[in-house]
Amino acid sequence: RLTMVEYLILIRDFIFALLIGTIIGFEREYSKEKYKANVFGGIRTFILISLIGAFSGYFSVQFNSLLFWFIPFIVVSCFILINYLMTIKEYKEIHTTTEIVGILVFILSSSVFFGYGKFAVALSILISILLISKIYIHRFVEKINKKELKDIMKFAIITLVILPFLPNKTYGPLQVFNPYLIWLMVVFISG
């Protein structure tokens, strides 16, 4: 039997999960209408996916078995895959964004019940922003030339590959040599 606090937390978690489907569903519905695209799902579909994800996460935690998460995940993924294959066959168009986002909605909605509610909602907002930014991202990529792309990759290597692995502690006779801070200066100058 649930206490009042546990009951309120349960309601909050289901609201978080439904919010994830609603946020992304609104964006997908808008894109579908604006671009007259033949894509999988709209707002109702994404809310239903988030509801299935929420229940699978809830039961998985309640019964302490990932089987309650894994089986619904496979079923939802199969439905999305079948719809994707039928869309390719009927419209001869290959778009995977909405299908991938459908799977992400399931995962994020279920992760609310594993203790990642705020993170999952924040991530769904970031995903929606990324989806809305499609035109701007495509325009940006079209304007980049090969040299600029190489420079971006070099910067990513020195920032995201090398910097995190350098020790952030001082060395030397006067404790003034810090590899992390020295490389951070390289990052700033390169930026």
Side-chain angles (χ1 to χ4, degrees):
R1 184 150 176 123
L2 295 175
T3 66
M4 184 57 123
V5 173
E6 291 172 330
Y7 186 68
L8 290 174
I9 290 172
L10 181 63
I11 290 172
R12 181 204 64 192
D13 288 347
F14 270 99
I15 289 172
F16 276 1
L18 290 174
L19 192 59
I20 291 166
T22 304
I23 290 168
I24 294 177
F26 266 131
E27 190 288 325
R28 292 287 77 191
E29 187 77 35
Y30 174 79
S31 280
K32 192 166 133 179
E33 294 300 320
K34 182 174 182 180
Y35 302 112
K36 303 293 183 221
N38 302 309
V39 293
F40 157 78
I43 187 165
R44 293 177 304 161
T45 305
F46 281 93
I47 290 174
L48 290 172
I49 290 172
S50 68
L51 193 59
I52 295 168
F55 277 115
S56 71
Y58 173 73
F59 287 124
S60 196
V61 169
Q62 283 299 338
F63 295 107
N64 198 24
S65 171
L66 279 178
L67 201 58
F68 287 96
W69 182 88
F70 191 69
I71 291 172
F73 176 74
I74 295 298
V75 170
V76 168
S77 297
C78 286
F79 276 123
I80 291 172
L81 178 64
I82 290 167
N83 184 279
Y84 175 69
L85 294 173
M86 290 174 59
T87 303
I88 290 174
K89 185 177 179 182
E90 185 174 341
Y91 297 106
K92 309 288 189 255
E93 296 176 358
I94 299 176
H95 302 285
T96 57
T97 304
T98 304
E99 288 78 7
I100 291 170
V101 171
I103 292 170
L104 282 174
V105 165
F106 180 93
I107 293 169
L108 290 174
S109 298
S110 62
S111 70
V112 169
F113 293 89
F114 294 103
Y116 301 103
K118 293 175 185 173
F119 174 74
V121 171
L123 197 55
S124 71
I125 292 169
L126 290 176
I127 290 169
S128 291
I129 291 170
L130 178 68
L131 294 171
I132 289 169
S133 304
K134 173 185 176 178
I135 293 171
Y136 305 111
I137 292 170
H138 285 270
R139 284 183 191 157
F140 176 74
V141 170
E142 288 171 1
K143 292 179 182 178
I144 292 178
N145 62 37
K146 193 170 187 172
K147 183 188 178 323
E148 292 169 333
L149 183 61
K150 285 181 183 178
D151 292 340
I152 290 170
M153 291 303 135
K154 288 176 189 174
F155 185 71
I157 288 170
I158 67 168
T159 307
L160 303 172
V161 176
I162 297 173
L163 183 64
F165 294 104
L166 292 175
N168 190 6
K169 53 193 278 193
T170 55
Y171 299 98
L174 300 173
Q175 300 293 315
V176 294
F177 179 71
N178 184 325
Y180 184 86
L181 292 177
I182 291 171
W183 198 258
L184 190 59
M185 292 306 293
V186 171
V187 170
F188 287 140
I189 291 168
S190 297

